[in-house]
Amino acid sequence: FCKCNRTGSVPFTLSSKPVVTATASSRLYCLNLTTTPCTDPSSKCCNQNLKKIEWWTRDTCRGSIRNVFLNNNKINQQWAPKVFKLPTLDLARNAVPAQGLQLCMEIATQSTCPSLSSFCFRGDRGQCTYAMFSADQKCCPVSTYAAVDSRRQ
């Protein structure tokens, strides 16, 4: 899962717990994408755009994601072995407002992986693991958020 400097510093992060909205056929998992001070301000990755985000997942989950939205705009998604990714973000720090941007993944409830706990590798342990890549793809700090499946959790 992601071959680069995993401890490299980028000025972007996702909220620690998604907000879940359920319908009869899908669940929408929304996270807040915000900017943050770099842990290492001298890192050359600190002032770069956010190129892409990748999630550690299972190959059997292909087809489980219906759509991905950034502030209600549908965005591109791709699959690689054991990785789900948003490959073409190219977000500058100043393009992210103070309140952040809403990043939502729509997962089909009738799919092989109908929830974050099944979609995320180690989701059954309560975590989704993701990496945020700098524009040159040399830094990709890895982080996690809660793999919640309903509003009650």
Side-chain angles (χ1 to χ4, degrees):
F1 176 65
C2 69
K3 293 177 178 146
C4 59
N5 179 355
R6 291 182 181 200
T7 60
S9 187
V10 297
F12 302 92
T13 190
L14 291 175
S15 50
S16 61
K17 187 175 181 182
V19 173
V20 185
T21 306
T23 68
S25 62
S26 67
R27 285 190 180 115
L28 193 64
Y29 295 92
C30 294
L31 296 149
N32 201 29
L33 171 66
T34 56
T35 59
T36 183
C38 288
T39 51
D40 178 7
S42 66
S43 167
K44 70 177 190 152
C45 296
C46 184
N47 293 313
Q48 293 186 31
N49 288 359
L50 174 62
K51 176 162 179 80
K52 65 181 176 174
I53 304 174
E54 293 187 354
W55 282 264
W56 192 16
T57 186
R58 296 173 172 84
D59 288 334
T60 56
C61 293
R62 287 178 187 256
S64 297
I65 301 283
R66 281 191 179 158
N67 296 294
V68 180
F69 303 95
L70 185 60
N71 266 19
N72 296 317
N73 296 308
K74 191 174 174 181
I75 59 173
N76 290 336
Q77 56 176 304
Q78 289 181 350
W79 286 89
K82 298 182 182 175
V83 174
F84 174 74
K85 54 188 170 180
L86 307 177
T88 57
L89 294 174
D90 194 31
L91 274 177
R93 185 189 293 196
N94 62 7
V96 180
Q99 72 273 16
L101 298 171
Q102 189 177 56
L103 178 66
C104 299
M105 295 189 300
E106 181 184 15
I107 299 179
T109 53
Q110 298 301 314
S111 66
T112 305
C113 302
S115 65
L116 285 183
S117 60
S118 58
F119 174 77
C120 297
F121 194 84
R122 295 192 182 146
D124 57 340
R125 297 181 198 169
Q127 291 185 346
C128 286
T129 302
Y130 69 96
M132 295 199 158
F133 286 76
S134 58
D136 66 5
Q137 299 187 70
K138 293 193 176 182
C139 297
C140 66
V142 174
S143 192
T144 62
Y145 59 83
V148 298
D149 289 331
S150 72
R151 292 182 214 182
R152 292 184 296 272
Q153 290 182 331

